[in-house]
Amino acid sequence: MPHRPYPPALTVVAQWVLGTVLVTWRYLWATTPLHRGGERSGDDRDRPPPIPGEMFDDRVQLSEDGYGPLFHRRFMVRIASAQLDADRLMLLLCRDFRHFVPKEVVGIRSGQSPARAGGLGLADELVVVMPGPWNGPVRVIRRDRDHLGLVTLRGHMEAGQVHFRARGGDGAPLEFEVELWARAGSRLVDLLYSRLRVAKEAQLNMWVRFCLGAVEASGGRLMDGVHIATRRLDSPDGTPVRTAPRAVGLGTERPDRTA
């Protein structure tokens, strides 16, 4: 009798379980203090910032394109005795993104030129390749000396944005922060994220490890653990959460598609 393939949903769930185990193994044995603070209800201040119009096309996957509640999360570390200031830490992040990601990430694919001195620039794209169906294509939508902003592209398990910032240094404690606005990229991810919390914990582990990678890259030491804030924004009537309008250019904005 020929072998009957497993349903696609079961295959994806199995891959997610495998990926989660691989990503969280070191996290489960880590002794880093995590200051999680619980999950709180969000409001309009938790909506993602608008996307510059020149960065938008039909491959962009905004939070309004996702499913389930919108999660606004911050991960922050303070670093003592850092050998880099905020600008140099962010330059290193843009030049060598893979240096910051957990060791379980199996690759970073980028279309940028390796010879570019400043690393990632506006409109550059990269893909974070992980075990299971975790691959995350993103595009750079903001690049300042102390700030890198990315938006998710079609095929990402999440729909939204992630921003990286650094502050301080040169004698003062260096702060590194990851801020993200995300909804599930599909109904299955919404089940695993919002209901079963599997993907949500995997996301937490990923960004905790990313912050610890920033500590290591800075040459300093973690001061008081990783500070985590989570706010959840639901629509009162269960309809898709509406995001801030997309910016088209100076002085104009693109109307929100779900409005």
Side-chain angles (χ1 to χ4, degrees), residues 47-64:
R47 300 183 188 277
I51 305 274
E54 63 272 19
M55 297 298 154
F56 178 81
D57 59 26
D58 59 3
R59 295 178 56 232
V60 169
Q61 183 166 278
L62 299 181
S63 57
E64 68 194 60

PDB file of all heavy atoms in Angstrom, residues 47-64:
ATOM      1  N   ARG A  47       0.153  50.908  18.256  1.00  0.00           N
ATOM      2  CA  ARG A  47       0.095  50.620  16.830  1.00  0.00           C
ATOM      3  C   ARG A  47       1.460  50.895  16.192  1.00  0.00           C
ATOM      4  O   ARG A  47       2.189  51.778  16.631  1.00  0.00           O
ATOM      5  CB  ARG A  47      -0.986  51.464  16.169  1.00  0.00           C
ATOM      6  CG  ARG A  47      -2.374  51.212  16.751  1.00  0.00           C
ATOM      7  CD  ARG A  47      -3.429  52.010  16.026  1.00  0.00           C
ATOM      8  NE  ARG A  47      -4.708  51.892  16.711  1.00  0.00           N
ATOM      9  CZ  ARG A  47      -5.555  50.883  16.539  1.00  0.00           C
ATOM     10  NH1 ARG A  47      -5.231  49.906  15.698  1.00  0.00           N
ATOM     11  NH2 ARG A  47      -6.705  50.820  17.183  1.00  0.00           N
ATOM     12  N   PRO A  48       1.794  50.156  15.147  1.00  0.00           N
ATOM     13  CA  PRO A  48       3.111  50.335  14.521  1.00  0.00           C
ATOM     14  C   PRO A  48       3.217  51.654  13.784  1.00  0.00           C
ATOM     15  O   PRO A  48       2.217  52.232  13.359  1.00  0.00           O
ATOM     16  CB  PRO A  48       3.200  49.154  13.550  1.00  0.00           C
ATOM     17  CG  PRO A  48       1.777  48.795  13.257  1.00  0.00           C
ATOM     18  CD  PRO A  48       1.021  49.068  14.512  1.00  0.00           C
ATOM     19  N   PRO A  49       4.440  52.164  13.612  1.00  0.00           N
ATOM     20  CA  PRO A  49       4.630  53.413  12.873  1.00  0.00           C
ATOM     21  C   PRO A  49       4.350  53.209  11.393  1.00  0.00           C
ATOM     22  O   PRO A  49       4.412  52.083  10.885  1.00  0.00           O
ATOM     23  CB  PRO A  49       6.116  53.734  13.113  1.00  0.00           C
ATOM     24  CG  PRO A  49       6.747  52.419  13.409  1.00  0.00           C
ATOM     25  CD  PRO A  49       5.704  51.611  14.135  1.00  0.00           C
ATOM     26  N   PRO A  50       4.025  54.292  10.667  1.00  0.00           N
ATOM     27  CA  PRO A  50       3.760  54.167   9.226  1.00  0.00           C
ATOM     28  C   PRO A  50       5.018  53.787   8.461  1.00  0.00           C
ATOM     29  O   PRO A  50       6.145  54.032   8.901  1.00  0.00           O
ATOM     30  CB  PRO A  50       3.252  55.554   8.838  1.00  0.00           C
ATOM     31  CG  PRO A  50       3.795  56.464   9.888  1.00  0.00           C
ATOM     32  CD  PRO A  50       3.845  55.675  11.152  1.00  0.00           C
ATOM     33  N   ILE A  51       4.815  53.176   7.298  1.00  0.00           N
ATOM     34  CA  ILE A  51       5.909  52.757   6.422  1.00  0.00           C
ATOM     35  C   ILE A  51       6.142  53.835   5.360  1.00  0.00           C
ATOM     36  O   ILE A  51       5.179  54.288   4.730  1.00  0.00           O
ATOM     37  CB  ILE A  51       5.542  51.434   5.711  1.00  0.00           C
ATOM     38  CG1 ILE A  51       5.170  50.369   6.722  1.00  0.00           C
ATOM     39  CG2 ILE A  51       6.680  50.991   4.792  1.00  0.00           C
ATOM     40  CD1 ILE A  51       6.283  49.592   7.283  1.00  0.00           C
ATOM     41  N   PRO A  52       7.371  54.267   5.129  1.00  0.00           N
ATOM     42  CA  PRO A  52       7.619  55.210   4.031  1.00  0.00           C
ATOM     43  C   PRO A  52       7.110  54.639   2.709  1.00  0.00           C
ATOM     44  O   PRO A  52       7.323  53.459   2.400  1.00  0.00           O
ATOM     45  CB  PRO A  52       9.147  55.348   4.026  1.00  0.00           C
ATOM     46  CG  PRO A  52       9.564  55.001   5.429  1.00  0.00           C
ATOM     47  CD  PRO A  52       8.599  53.941   5.885  1.00  0.00           C
ATOM     48  N   GLY A  53       6.417  55.451   1.937  1.00  0.00           N
ATOM     49  CA  GLY A  53       5.792  54.970   0.721  1.00  0.00           C
ATOM     50  C   GLY A  53       6.748  54.339  -0.259  1.00  0.00           C
ATOM     51  O   GLY A  53       6.415  53.356  -0.937  1.00  0.00           O
ATOM     52  N   GLU A  54       7.984  54.856  -0.338  1.00  0.00           N
ATOM     53  CA  GLU A  54       8.940  54.306  -1.302  1.00  0.00           C
ATOM     54  C   GLU A  54       9.439  52.921  -0.904  1.00  0.00           C
ATOM     55  O   GLU A  54      10.069  52.225  -1.703  1.00  0.00           O
ATOM     56  CB  GLU A  54      10.132  55.261  -1.464  1.00  0.00           C
ATOM     57  CG  GLU A  54      10.964  55.480  -0.217  1.00  0.00           C
ATOM     58  CD  GLU A  54      10.455  56.613   0.657  1.00  0.00           C
ATOM     59  OE1 GLU A  54       9.276  56.994   0.492  1.00  0.00           O
ATOM     60  OE2 GLU A  54      11.231  57.099   1.491  1.00  0.00           O
ATOM     61  N   MET A  55       9.157  52.502   0.336  1.00  0.00           N
ATOM     62  CA  MET A  55       9.565  51.181   0.796  1.00  0.00           C
ATOM     63  C   MET A  55       8.455  50.146   0.628  1.00  0.00           C
ATOM     64  O   MET A  55       8.643  48.970   0.939  1.00  0.00           O
ATOM     65  CB  MET A  55       9.968  51.236   2.281  1.00  0.00           C
ATOM     66  CG  MET A  55      11.147  52.118   2.554  1.00  0.00           C
ATOM     67  SD  MET A  55      12.611  51.538   1.717  1.00  0.00           S
ATOM     68  CE  MET A  55      13.530  53.062   1.563  1.00  0.00           C
ATOM     69  N   PHE A  56       7.287  50.581   0.157  1.00  0.00           N
ATOM     70  CA  PHE A  56       6.135  49.695   0.104  1.00  0.00           C
ATOM     71  C   PHE A  56       5.920  49.137  -1.288  1.00  0.00           C
ATOM     72  O   PHE A  56       6.006  49.848  -2.285  1.00  0.00           O
ATOM     73  CB  PHE A  56       4.882  50.449   0.564  1.00  0.00           C
ATOM     74  CG  PHE A  56       3.638  49.622   0.492  1.00  0.00           C
ATOM     75  CD1 PHE A  56       3.327  48.728   1.492  1.00  0.00           C
ATOM     76  CD2 PHE A  56       2.787  49.722  -0.600  1.00  0.00           C
ATOM     77  CE1 PHE A  56       2.192  47.957   1.412  1.00  0.00           C
ATOM     78  CE2 PHE A  56       1.650  48.954  -0.691  1.00  0.00           C
ATOM     79  CZ  PHE A  56       1.353  48.067   0.326  1.00  0.00           C
ATOM     80  N   ASP A  57       5.631  47.827  -1.376  1.00  0.00           N
ATOM     81  CA  ASP A  57       5.161  47.196  -2.602  1.00  0.00           C
ATOM     82  C   ASP A  57       4.293  46.005  -2.202  1.00  0.00           C
ATOM     83  O   ASP A  57       3.991  45.807  -1.020  1.00  0.00           O
ATOM     84  CB  ASP A  57       6.330  46.791  -3.518  1.00  0.00           C
ATOM     85  CG  ASP A  57       7.293  45.812  -2.860  1.00  0.00           C
ATOM     86  OD1 ASP A  57       6.883  45.061  -1.944  1.00  0.00           O
ATOM     87  OD2 ASP A  57       8.474  45.786  -3.260  1.00  0.00           O
ATOM     88  N   ASP A  58       3.883  45.193  -3.184  1.00  0.00           N
ATOM     89  CA  ASP A  58       2.951  44.111  -2.882  1.00  0.00           C
ATOM     90  C   ASP A  58       3.594  42.944  -2.138  1.00  0.00           C
ATOM     91  O   ASP A  58       2.903  42.001  -1.772  1.00  0.00           O
ATOM     92  CB  ASP A  58       2.256  43.619  -4.150  1.00  0.00           C
ATOM     93  CG  ASP A  58       3.237  43.108  -5.201  1.00  0.00           C
ATOM     94  OD1 ASP A  58       4.456  43.078  -4.935  1.00  0.00           O
ATOM     95  OD2 ASP A  58       2.776  42.750  -6.302  1.00  0.00           O
ATOM     96  N   ARG A  59       4.907  42.985  -1.904  1.00  0.00           N
ATOM     97  CA  ARG A  59       5.563  41.934  -1.128  1.00  0.00           C
ATOM     98  C   ARG A  59       5.589  42.258   0.369  1.00  0.00           C
ATOM     99  O   ARG A  59       5.866  41.387   1.190  1.00  0.00           O
ATOM    100  CB  ARG A  59       6.994  41.715  -1.626  1.00  0.00           C
ATOM    101  CG  ARG A  59       7.069  41.170  -3.050  1.00  0.00           C
ATOM    102  CD  ARG A  59       8.512  41.011  -3.498  1.00  0.00           C
ATOM    103  NE  ARG A  59       9.249  40.165  -2.565  1.00  0.00           N
ATOM    104  CZ  ARG A  59      10.416  40.508  -2.010  1.00  0.00           C
ATOM    105  NH1 ARG A  59      10.952  41.699  -2.263  1.00  0.00           N
ATOM    106  NH2 ARG A  59      11.029  39.676  -1.202  1.00  0.00           N
ATOM    107  N   VAL A  60       5.317  43.509   0.715  1.00  0.00           N
ATOM    108  CA  VAL A  60       5.353  43.908   2.121  1.00  0.00           C
ATOM    109  C   VAL A  60       4.179  43.290   2.858  1.00  0.00           C
ATOM    110  O   VAL A  60       3.040  43.293   2.380  1.00  0.00           O
ATOM    111  CB  VAL A  60       5.331  45.445   2.241  1.00  0.00           C
ATOM    112  CG1 VAL A  60       5.104  45.867   3.684  1.00  0.00           C
ATOM    113  CG2 VAL A  60       6.631  46.031   1.713  1.00  0.00           C
ATOM    114  N   GLN A  61       4.450  42.761   4.051  1.00  0.00           N
ATOM    115  CA  GLN A  61       3.435  42.106   4.874  1.00  0.00           C
ATOM    116  C   GLN A  61       3.274  42.904   6.165  1.00  0.00           C
ATOM    117  O   GLN A  61       4.010  42.706   7.130  1.00  0.00           O
ATOM    118  CB  GLN A  61       3.862  40.659   5.163  1.00  0.00           C
ATOM    119  CG  GLN A  61       2.844  39.847   5.945  1.00  0.00           C
ATOM    120  CD  GLN A  61       3.158  38.365   5.896  1.00  0.00           C
ATOM    121  OE1 GLN A  61       2.826  37.688   4.936  1.00  0.00           O
ATOM    122  NE2 GLN A  61       3.813  37.849   6.938  1.00  0.00           N
ATOM    123  N   LEU A  62       2.322  43.828   6.146  1.00  0.00           N
ATOM    124  CA  LEU A  62       2.073  44.680   7.303  1.00  0.00           C
ATOM    125  C   LEU A  62       1.249  43.939   8.351  1.00  0.00           C
ATOM    126  O   LEU A  62       0.630  42.913   8.071  1.00  0.00           O
ATOM    127  CB  LEU A  62       1.345  45.949   6.873  1.00  0.00           C
ATOM    128  CG  LEU A  62       2.072  46.851   5.876  1.00  0.00           C
ATOM    129  CD1 LEU A  62       1.218  48.075   5.586  1.00  0.00           C
ATOM    130  CD2 LEU A  62       3.438  47.252   6.388  1.00  0.00           C
ATOM    131  N   SER A  63       1.183  44.512   9.540  1.00  0.00           N
ATOM    132  CA  SER A  63       0.418  43.867  10.610  1.00  0.00           C
ATOM    133  C   SER A  63      -1.051  43.734  10.238  1.00  0.00           C
ATOM    134  O   SER A  63      -1.717  42.783  10.653  1.00  0.00           O
ATOM    135  CB  SER A  63       0.576  44.659  11.919  1.00  0.00           C
ATOM    136  OG  SER A  63       0.165  45.996  11.755  1.00  0.00           O
ATOM    137  N   GLU A  64      -1.574  44.658   9.440  1.00  0.00           N
ATOM    138  CA  GLU A  64      -2.985  44.573   9.040  1.00  0.00           C
ATOM    139  C   GLU A  64      -3.250  43.386   8.119  1.00  0.00           C
ATOM    140  O   GLU A  64      -4.393  42.989   7.902  1.00  0.00           O
ATOM    141  CB  GLU A  64      -3.414  45.861   8.338  1.00  0.00           C
ATOM    142  CG  GLU A  64      -2.760  46.055   6.995  1.00  0.00           C
ATOM    143  CD  GLU A  64      -2.923  47.464   6.484  1.00  0.00           C
ATOM    144  OE1 GLU A  64      -2.466  48.390   7.157  1.00  0.00           O
ATOM    145  OE2 GLU A  64      -3.520  47.630   5.409  1.00  0.00           O
TER     146      GLU A  64
END
